[in-house]
Amino acid sequence: MNLDDIYTIAKQIKPDFDNKIEQVANFLQGKAILPPLKSVERAREKLAINLDGDTSLLRDILRVSLVFDNAQQVNDAYNVLSKRFDVVKEGSRNGYAKPIQSSDGYFDAKLDISVGGIFAEIQIHTQAMIEAKERVHSLYEQKQVINRQALKDGVRLTPNQKKEVELLNTQMREIYREANNG
């Protein structure tokens, strides 16, 4: 399926998909965040840089987030959504049930699902993690600029770039740790 086909389907199914997500959020006393579709420009960039042009690996054109007060609610939502949607196992994880070690300390619960013939992404967070994610956004963007430039140049990170990335990761880990322990 090409990118235009994916966007056509995503636009058609988004209202019903968003409605189902809001129902789950309300039932579990959480909040649904229903962003617009990923921009075509960003999807093309992601395909070129991260996915070798393979549209079958693009899972987040249609995406939503659910936000809850605590990890137990996140786990409950993960379980409910796993039963309501056709989950793609290799893209799904629950960092609240089984800790995930990332270089920057970020974690969430995420379900990649198949809906309407395309893939969609459901992220599930605690409010504290959402707030931490907002706090580290500028650090994350700095890290992405460094990594994208290296990929664009077709080279590995230089020693100085590695140091910059590690410093950014250290700063992000501290903020995420506080959110997780708070």
Side-chain angles (χ1 to χ4, degrees):
M1 188 178 310
N2 69 38
L3 199 56
D4 291 336
D5 294 337
I6 294 170
Y7 272 93
T8 298
I9 294 169
K11 288 175 188 174
Q12 291 171 350
I13 65 174
K14 183 172 176 31
D16 185 55
F17 178 67
D18 287 353
N19 186 27
K20 288 178 182 174
I21 295 298
E22 282 188 311
Q23 288 174 7
V24 171
N26 291 335
F27 176 72
L28 296 172
Q29 300 176 334
K31 179 176 89 173
I33 299 172
L34 310 169
L37 300 177
K38 179 183 285 293
S39 75
V40 174
E41 296 78 25
R42 178 66 184 114
R44 285 191 178 122
E45 178 182 297
K46 191 171 184 178
L47 281 167
I49 294 174
N50 302 101
L51 305 176
D52 293 326
D54 186 350
T55 58
S56 72
L57 299 174
L58 191 58
R59 307 268 169 110
D60 63 349
I61 288 175
L62 178 61
R63 67 254 166 95
V64 296
S65 291
L66 292 166
V67 183
F68 295 95
D69 292 331
N70 59 60
Q72 182 57 55
Q73 289 174 305
V74 170
N75 291 327
D76 291 345
Y78 187 90
N79 293 330
V80 167
L81 291 163
S82 293
K83 292 177 179 128
R84 288 212 178 164
F85 290 99
D86 181 16
V87 176
V88 179
K89 296 292 183 198
E90 64 269 9
S92 300
R93 63 179 183 266
N94 185 350
Y96 291 90
K98 182 179 179 188
I100 297 168
Q101 299 298 321
S102 66
S103 60
D104 61 12
Y106 174 78
F107 68 92
D108 61 9
K110 183 177 83 95
L111 291 163
D112 283 348
I113 63 169
S114 177
V115 58
I118 64 168
F119 294 112
E121 179 181 89
I122 303 170
Q123 290 185 6
I124 315 167
H125 310 273
T126 60
Q127 182 62 40
M129 188 56 84
I130 286 288
E131 291 168 6
K133 192 174 176 183
E134 290 170 3
R135 285 178 53 205
V136 304
H137 186 71
S138 66
L139 300 171
Y140 173 79
E141 285 295 318
Q142 292 174 48
K143 180 177 146 179
Q144 289 299 95
V145 166
I146 295 167
N147 287 327
R148 283 184 187 134
Q149 188 59 51
L151 282 171
K152 193 177 195 180
D153 294 344
V155 298
R156 295 178 187 239
L157 295 176
T158 66
N160 283 341
Q161 288 172 320
K162 284 180 185 179
K163 285 179 186 174
E164 287 179 62
V165 167
E166 185 49 40
L167 177 61
L168 293 167
N169 282 338
T170 299
Q171 292 170 339
M172 288 187 280
R173 274 193 304 272
E174 180 59 26
I175 293 168
Y176 287 132
R177 185 192 59 74
E178 289 171 11
N180 190 36
N181 294 330

